[in-house]
Amino acid sequence: MNEHTKETNAGAPARKPLIATETGRVVSDKMNKTVTVLVERRVKHPLYGKVVTRSAKYHAHDENNECKEGDLVEIIATRKLSKTKAWRVSKLLEKARTV
């Protein structure tokens, strides 16, 4: 590498690391320090073009047992915490409405 290339790369701002985050609803809080989060996303079908709802359930770590069923939460990817748990709750976005 020549000096010119080093200068342009050194002056560039550092890139922020990519951190996987998802937003979903808590569908179960029966486990201790763990919640099940349902994440739904809408994708266009590759052949027919119809918009289809795809969903996935993730087990997320909830240290203080503060999330209840129906809450809207943001989860963030982390290291494996158990056999099925590799996410943790980062933010409680909206509390569930009680009737």
Side-chain angles (χ1 to χ4, degrees):
M1 287 176 48
N2 60 19
E3 287 299 317
H4 179 69
T5 309
K6 287 181 184 177
E7 289 173 11
T8 56
N9 288 342
R15 283 194 286 174
K16 199 166 92 171
L18 295 174
I19 299 172
T21 60
E22 297 283 347
T23 304
R25 289 258 174 220
V26 176
V27 292
S28 173
D29 63 341
K30 293 176 174 68
M31 296 170 278
N32 187 29
K33 295 189 177 184
T34 303
V35 292
T36 304
V37 179
L38 178 71
V39 176
E40 291 185 336
R41 58 192 179 89
R42 295 169 58 81
V43 296
K44 194 172 184 181
H45 190 279
L47 179 61
Y48 300 116
K50 181 178 178 177
V51 177
V52 184
T53 302
R54 299 275 182 214
S55 63
K57 285 185 183 178
Y58 299 107
H59 287 151
H61 185 68
D62 179 20
E63 183 62 37
N64 301 323
N65 287 324
E66 57 193 18
C67 297
K68 301 298 176 204
E69 196 168 323
D71 290 351
L72 185 68
V73 295
E74 182 181 87
I75 57 175
I76 189 167
T78 183
R79 65 180 179 85
K80 285 288 260 191
L81 300 170
S82 70
K83 182 181 175 183
T84 60
K85 187 163 58 167
W87 296 81
R88 69 178 165 82
V89 176
S90 64
K91 281 192 257 186
L92 180 63
L93 301 174
E94 177 186 300
K95 295 293 276 181
R97 288 184 277 164
T98 56
V99 177

